[in-house]
Amino acid sequence: MLKAKGYAAATATSSLAPFSFDRRDPLDHDVLIDIKYCGICHSDIHSARDEWGGSLFPMVPGHEIAGVVTAVGRAVTRYKVGDAVGVGCFVDSCRKCAPCRAGLEQFCAEGPTLTYSGIERDGKTPTQGGYSDKIVVNEDYVLRIPGNLALDAAAPLLCAGITLYSPLKHWQAGPGKNVAIIGLGGLGHMGVKIAHALGAEVTVLSQSLAKRDDGLRLGADNYYATSDPATFKTLKGSFDLIVNTVSAPMDWNQYLSLLAVDGTMVLVGAPPAPVPVAAFSLISNRRSLAGSLIGGMRETQEMLDFCGSHNLACDIEVIPIQKVNEAYERVLKSDVRYRFVIDMASLKTS
Ligand code: NAP
Ligand code: ZN
Ligand code: ZN
C-alpha cells in the first residue's frame, strides 16, 4: 500500500483536518498521479456536510483533480510518467451496462464509483478524493489535460467545466441560440465562457449586479439582477435554454416564465429540498424542465480538448490546504471569484 496524506471530514459536523490513509499500489491498468491542484466544488460542501444523505466518513473530498503521472501499471497504454492528467467525479463504473457502453458512465446502471464518498469495485474499499497528495486510478478513468492549460486553472474543468459543457452541447447552445446561466459561481462562470465560445448569445442571471463587469469580461452579452422584479418582465419568454446552477431554494416557476416556445431549463445545481413546479409553467410555451449530471469520459475529454483549443480555463483563487475550511464558508456566501483551487504543495507543511 502507498501512504497518502490529505484533509478529511471525520463526520458531517466536523471541519476538515489533516488525515493519513493508504492508497493501493498501482494494479496493471492503474496510473499513480501526484496531485498538484484540486478545485473546491460546492458538491464537496454538500457531501462533507451530508446534505444529500448517504455520505461516507472519514471523507477526503475533491473531484476536480489535476496532477502528473508518476508511475503506471505494466498494462497501461494510454499514459506515461510525466503526463499532465485529470480525474473528475468518478474513478470507475461497471463498463457493461447500456449507459457505460454509450460513454455515459455518469449514468452507470450500477452507479459510477464516485471519486470520494464511494466504494471501489472490490465492494469494500472506501474511495478518497483529491484533497490529498496522490491518487491511483484505472487508466480508462483518467483524462489528458492539454499542454497549453495551466494545471491550477484546468483543475475545475474536471467538474465545473464538464457539468456546463455537457448540457450546453446536448441542448445545442450555439449561434442563434439565446442562453441564460443562473448563478455566476464556479459552474456558472464556466457556463458563460463555454456558451460564448460555442457562439450562443449569453445572459447572466445573478442575484445582484455586483459581478456584472466580470460577467461581461467572461463573455456574457447581457447581465441582469434577479433581485430586480423588472428583470422577469423584461426577459419573459426570451430564452431557448437556461442552465440553472443554483443550489439554494428558489422559485423555478418564475425562471421557467423566461423560456421561449420549446425552451428548456436544465438543472445542474442540486438543492437538497424538492421545489414545487406549476403545470402551467411547463404547458405554456411547451417548455421543458430537465437535469444534467457532469459528463461521460469521452465527452469530458472532448471538453478538455475544446478548452485547450479555445485557450479557456477557470478563473481561480489558489489557496493552501490550511485555508480549506475558510474557503468553504466563503463559497457559501458566494464570495469566490470564481473557483477556489487548493495548491497541494501546501500539504507538506501540514
Ligand atoms: P457556487 O460556486 O457556490 O455557485 C453557485 C451560485 O449560485 C453562486 O455563485 C450564486 O451566484 C448563486 N446563488 C447562491 N445562493 C443563491 C440563492 N440563495 N439564490 C439565488 N442564487 C444563489 O457553486 P458551484 O460549485 O457552482 O455548484 C452549484 C451547484 O451545482 C451545487 O449545488 C453543486 O452541488 C451542484 N453541482 C452539480 C453538478 C452536476 O453534475 N449536476 C456538478 C457540480 C456541482 P450569484 O452570486 O451570481 O447569484
Ligand atoms: Zn463537482
Ligand atoms: Zn455501467
Side-chain angles (χ1 to χ4, degrees), residues 125-262:
T125 312
T127 56
Q128 298 291 6
Y131 299 2
S132 61
D133 58 353
K134 56 175 79 74
I135 190 165
V136 179
V137 183
N138 183 289
E139 64 169 330
D140 295 335
Y141 295 80
V142 173
L143 295 137
R144 189 173 296 283
I145 295 181
N148 60 319
L149 299 183
L151 280 187
D152 52 0
L157 295 177
L158 277 304
C159 177
I162 184 59
T163 298
L164 273 291
Y165 181 84
S166 184
L168 288 169
K169 288 287 286 198
H170 186 80
W171 279 276
Q172 296 162 347
K177 289 288 175 77
N178 208 347
V179 174
I181 307 286
I182 313 179
L184 194 67
L187 266 53
H189 95 288
M190 284 316 299
V192 171
K193 289 190 188 201
I194 294 170
H196 175 70
L198 289 168
E201 166 138 355
V202 187
T203 299
V204 174
L205 301 174
S206 180
Q207 294 167 94
S208 75
L209 294 178
K211 296 180 271 191
R212 184 172 178 276
D213 290 349
D214 283 353
L216 299 179
R217 173 180 57 78
L218 295 168
D221 301 285
N222 315 292
Y223 199 107
Y224 288 88
T226 53
S227 51
D228 179 356
T231 292
F232 290 92
K233 289 201 184 90
T234 312
L235 299 177
K236 188 171 188 289
S238 7
F239 298 108
D240 302 301
L241 176 64
I242 299 176
V243 185
N244 184 353
T245 75
V246 177
S247 57
M250 62 199 284
D251 182 355
W252 289 349
N253 298 300
Q254 205 180 16
Y255 289 87
L256 285 165
S257 75
L258 305 184
L259 288 174
V261 172
D262 286 332

Side-chain angles (χ1 to χ4, degrees), residues 93-97 99-100 108-110:
S93 67
C94 87
R95 302 164 187 245
K96 298 187 297 276
C97 70
C100 279
C108 174
E110 291 182 11

Side-chain angles (χ1 to χ4, degrees), residues 16-349:
L16 273 67
F19 178 67
S20 296
F21 60 106
D22 291 330
R23 297 278 195 196
R24 66 171 181 267
D25 290 309
L27 303 171
D28 286 357
H29 290 278
D30 284 340
V31 170
L32 172 62
I33 301 164
D34 181 15
I35 300 176
K36 301 290 188 196
Y37 298 98
C38 186
I40 296 180
C41 177
H42 204 124
S43 301
D44 298 346
I45 305 175
H46 291 305
S47 303
R49 300 185 174 180
D50 201 13
E51 290 169 356
W52 294 324
S55 289
L56 303 177
F57 296 97
M59 177 196 300
V60 178
H63 58 208
E64 295 186 333
I65 299 170
V68 174
V69 173
T70 51
V72 295
R74 45 187 192 150
V76 167
T77 57
R78 298 157 72 138
Y79 297 99
K80 59 179 193 323
V81 170
D83 284 353
V85 294
V87 178
C89 297
F90 54 89
V91 289
D92 214 336
S93 67
C94 87
R95 302 164 187 245
K96 298 187 297 276
C97 70
C100 279
R101 282 187 279 115
L104 297 168
E105 299 89 346
Q106 75 273 34
F107 304 128
C108 174
E110 291 182 11
T113 306
L114 298 177
T115 302
Y116 65 84
S117 195
I119 299 289
E120 296 271 11
R121 302 209 75 82
D122 65 6
K124 55 176 196 256
T125 312
T127 56
Q128 298 291 6
Y131 299 2
S132 61
D133 58 353
K134 56 175 79 74
I135 190 165
V136 179
V137 183
N138 183 289
E139 64 169 330
D140 295 335
Y141 295 80
V142 173
L143 295 137
R144 189 173 296 283
I145 295 181
N148 60 319
L149 299 183
L151 280 187
D152 52 0
L157 295 177
L158 277 304
C159 177
I162 184 59
T163 298
L164 273 291
Y165 181 84
S166 184
L168 288 169
K169 288 287 286 198
H170 186 80
W171 279 276
Q172 296 162 347
K177 289 288 175 77
N178 208 347
V179 174
I181 307 286
I182 313 179
L184 194 67
L187 266 53
H189 95 288
M190 284 316 299
V192 171
K193 289 190 188 201
I194 294 170
H196 175 70
L198 289 168
E201 166 138 355
V202 187
T203 299
V204 174
L205 301 174
S206 180
Q207 294 167 94
S208 75
L209 294 178
K211 296 180 271 191
R212 184 172 178 276
D213 290 349
D214 283 353
L216 299 179
R217 173 180 57 78
L218 295 168
D221 301 285
N222 315 292
Y223 199 107
Y224 288 88
T226 53
S227 51
D228 179 356
T231 292
F232 290 92
K233 289 201 184 90
T234 312
L235 299 177
K236 188 171 188 289
S238 7
F239 298 108
D240 302 301
L241 176 64
I242 299 176
V243 185
N244 184 353
T245 75
V246 177
S247 57
M250 62 199 284
D251 182 355
W252 289 349
N253 298 300
Q254 205 180 16
Y255 289 87
L256 285 165
S257 75
L258 305 184
L259 288 174
V261 172
D262 286 332
T264 302
M265 178 159 88
V266 183
L267 307 177
V268 293
V275 177
V277 175
F280 277 98
S281 296
L282 299 172
I283 291 171
S284 313
N285 277 6
R286 195 161 58 190
R287 298 178 177 118
S288 301
L289 177 61
S292 187
L293 179 70
I294 43 176
M297 292 307 297
R298 203 156 56 218
E299 192 175 45
T300 305
Q301 189 61 61
E302 179 188 304
M303 174 277 307
L304 286 167
D305 296 342
F306 175 88
C307 290
S309 64
H310 288 79
N311 224 345
L312 217 166
C314 306
D315 284 32
I316 57 169
E317 187 174 331
V318 178
I319 56 160
I321 197 152
Q322 293 77 7
K323 294 219 158 150
V324 66
N325 294 303
E326 204 179 298
Y328 274 24
E329 292 312 315
R330 285 185 53 197
V331 171
L332 293 174
K333 286 189 256 167
S334 301
D335 174 23
V336 48
R337 303 266 192 293
Y338 279 86
R339 197 57 138 188
F340 286 114
V341 170
I342 304 167
D343 179 355
M344 233 37 85
S346 60
L347 256 181
K348 295 197 176 69
T349 57

